[in-house]
Amino acid sequence: MLISIVGSGRVGSSIGFLCVSNGLDDVLFVNKTKEKAIGEALDIANAIPANSKISIRGTDDYSELVGSDIVVITASVDIYLKDRTENIGLQVKMVKDIAEKIKEYCPSAIVLMVSNPLDVLTYFFQKQSGFSRFKVIGIASSLDTSRFRYYISETLSVPQSSISNALVLGEHGDSMVPIFSGVSVGGNPLFSLIDSRDTITENVRNYWKTLRNFKSRSQFGIAKNTFDVIDAIVKKKEIVIPASIVLEGEYGEYNIAMGVPVKIDQNGVSEIQKIKLDDTEASSLKKII
């Protein structure tokens, strides 16, 4: 298989590193600056396991996407500082251009969207490319879920391993909806251990802003969450996570992309799962639209 990553900045290179260091499969970086792609590939090449036959290389030539089984999009026109939608016009144009190239050179690929605004770009890529909605997957709600689990752990001073069924749905943005109603901690319902959902919800929504008080942007969390999906596809396993996909009636929504629970296998999304929400969660999810 060939795993191609469009964009070789911090996130793209971190995803590439995880794929290569785990001996997953061949990796190609495609970047608008050829030297950047080649440089990251040269560096990460030193992490190839000694017993592995895989390779990694970099280019600015989209025609080298031919044969790609998975394409991960991490490219960005600029860094955002206040809101993920700051550069939305330029980002949409960029993704539409990338969609045309992927459609031309590797029309059978599964596409993992990582660039922001995540849900908007997932939607426009799927519409521009004409790919099956089950093969265009936005990776972000699983990251938000990791952040939700982190704040539950911090609030209750418990290990994250004791937390079950944490989940974040909706947009990857200021209206994301942590799903408290199904969470248990050490076998106990979360609602029996906290007074309010408000503080944790606000902390999860603003996690990226808190992180940016200390470093320029998130990197490793999203890389690991994306790698887990790539790993499942390559190894023909199943993984159940929340991810963004264009909806056609699921959760009562049509013609939008947002994070919902999905099952992913070697062919892309195999199932959109329906879960029970309490009234507050259902109402919050509706407010996104």
Side-chain angles (χ1 to χ4, degrees):
M1 296 184 75
L2 175 61
I3 303 160
S4 293
I5 302 173
V6 179
S8 51
R10 293 186 181 188
V11 173
S13 60
S14 295
I15 295 168
F17 170 77
L18 287 173
C19 292
V20 166
S21 62
N22 284 279
L24 199 55
D25 225 312
D26 294 334
V27 172
L28 172 71
F29 282 136
V30 180
N31 197 74
K32 61 184 178 182
T33 305
K34 183 177 181 179
E35 290 76 13
K36 172 68 172 171
I38 293 174
E40 294 294 347
L42 284 171
D43 191 5
I44 295 172
N46 302 146
I48 296 175
N51 62 347
S52 176
K53 297 180 180 180
I54 68 168
S55 65
I56 182 170
R57 56 195 173 88
T59 184
D60 62 352
D61 183 357
Y62 277 88
S63 70
E64 295 193 38
L65 287 172
V66 169
S68 298
D69 300 278
I70 301 168
V71 180
V72 185
I73 301 175
T74 69
S76 178
V77 295
D78 201 357
I79 189 172
Y80 57 90
L81 300 173
K82 297 179 181 179
D83 187 272
R84 294 181 178 93
T85 62
E86 277 178 33
N87 305 309
I88 187 169
L90 293 174
Q91 289 288 93
V92 168
K93 182 181 183 303
M94 175 196 73
V95 159
K96 285 183 174 181
D97 291 342
I98 293 171
E100 287 298 322
K101 293 181 174 68
I102 292 174
K103 183 178 179 180
E104 178 180 359
Y105 294 115
C106 48
S108 298
I110 297 172
V111 176
L112 305 182
M113 183 65 66
V114 178
S115 303
N116 281 307
L118 188 283
D119 305 283
V120 173
L121 299 187
T122 299
Y123 174 86
F124 276 105
F125 183 97
Q126 194 272 324
K127 296 304 179 184
Q128 184 72 23
S129 66
F131 283 17
S132 164
R133 65 189 180 117
F134 300 113
K135 299 187 76 172
V136 181
I137 308 166
I139 310 297
S141 294
S142 59
L143 171 65
D144 298 327
T145 296
S146 298
R147 293 171 173 180
F148 183 28
R149 195 164 51 246
Y150 169 82
Y151 272 117
I152 295 171
S153 170
E154 289 294 295
T155 299
L156 299 177
S157 298
V158 297
Q160 292 192 38
S161 59
S162 69
I163 302 166
S164 301
N165 300 319
L167 193 65
V168 176
L169 305 184
E171 72 151 346
H172 180 54
D174 294 339
S175 66
M176 67 180 69
V177 183
I179 306 302
F180 287 77
S181 57
V183 180
S184 62
V185 181
N188 300 305
L190 177 58
F191 278 140
S192 70
L193 304 172
I194 61 173
D195 298 323
S196 168
R197 68 181 92 195
D198 294 345
T199 299
I200 293 177
T201 296
E202 183 176 354
N203 285 339
V204 173
R205 289 174 174 174
N206 292 313
Y207 192 104
W208 72 274
K209 296 177 182 178
T210 302
L211 187 150
R212 286 202 178 180
N213 290 330
F214 301 96
K215 65 177 292 186
S216 63
R217 68 188 79 177
S218 58
Q219 175 180 356
F220 300 113
I222 185 58
K224 177 57 166 61
N225 278 272
T226 305
F227 169 79
D228 288 344
V229 175
I230 299 171
D231 184 67
I233 294 169
V234 171
K235 295 181 179 178
K236 300 182 179 180
K237 302 184 296 183
E238 289 185 339
I239 183 172
V240 178
I241 60 167
S244 187
I245 184 173
V246 175
L247 302 180
E248 293 182 0
E250 298 85 4
Y251 291 86
E253 303 302 335
Y254 293 85
N255 206 34
I256 66 162
M258 70 176 189
V260 293
V262 299
K263 182 184 292 184
I264 299 170
D265 61 20
Q266 70 267 27
N267 298 312
V269 171
S270 61
E271 180 184 349
I272 298 175
Q273 300 185 331
K274 180 68 175 178
I275 64 167
K276 186 177 180 180
L277 307 175
D278 68 22
D279 291 343
T280 298
E281 294 158 353
S283 175
S284 296
L285 208 56
K286 281 291 183 183
K287 289 179 182 177
I288 295 172
I289 312 307

